[in-house]
Amino acid sequence: DTYADTTIMFQYFTAVHWSITQMTPGSMELSPKNSLERFFNILCLIFGLLFFSTLVSTLSAKMTHFRMKREERTKMLAQLRRFLRQSQVDPRLGVKLQRQVVERISASKPLIFTD
């Protein structure tokens, strides 16, 4: 039942398998046998929890930011269409203006030193 009697390759793959299961919801039949191993297992679980919660939090923040930017763009374009309609701008010119605005909004802006 001890790993000391197994090959180095088996021990290595067991260690890799164990470390991956500590960071994912996977499971493994290997469990801590003493206090030091249990302490190390707890540290790995805490690290995995922090790592994945940070990952999920970052992704959520990025998605929220993306959604807010898209809503801002939609509102701005709706306001432009309303202005063009109220000002009785020629529809062909209005379409060209809207295309130009969309192109300029979509263009990536170079970073400046203050960014």
Side-chain angles (χ1 to χ4, degrees), residues 1-105:
D1 271 40
T2 65
Y3 286 95
D5 300 332
T6 61
T7 65
I8 296 295
M9 185 68 79
F10 183 78
Q11 291 176 15
Y12 175 77
F13 283 130
T14 301
V16 170
H17 183 203
W18 177 84
S19 63
I20 291 171
T21 60
Q22 298 308 302
M23 306 301 170
T24 63
S27 64
M28 186 172 175
E29 70 280 351
L30 191 64
S31 60
K33 302 290 185 214
N34 59 43
S35 295
L36 183 61
E37 290 176 358
R38 186 164 306 279
F39 178 72
F40 184 72
N41 192 349
I42 290 169
L43 287 179
C44 288
L45 289 171
I46 290 171
F47 174 75
L49 176 69
L50 291 175
F51 177 77
F52 284 108
S53 61
T54 302
L55 180 68
V56 168
S57 174
T58 302
L59 289 174
S60 296
K62 291 288 185 187
M63 292 298 294
T64 301
H65 178 71
F66 177 73
R67 188 177 302 125
M68 289 173 63
K69 293 290 265 183
R70 189 176 57 196
E71 286 177 17
E72 179 183 335
R73 176 183 169 178
T74 302
K75 286 179 184 178
M76 192 170 18
L77 291 174
Q79 186 177 11
L80 174 63
R81 283 191 294 273
R82 188 169 48 251
F83 171 78
L84 294 173
R85 204 173 333 114
Q86 289 174 352
S87 301
Q88 298 176 347
V89 174
D90 181 74
R92 289 177 292 177
L93 178 60
V95 168
K96 288 180 182 180
L97 281 169
Q98 289 180 57
R99 283 187 190 148
Q100 187 64 230
V101 168
V102 167
E103 184 178 311
R104 291 188 182 224
I105 291 173

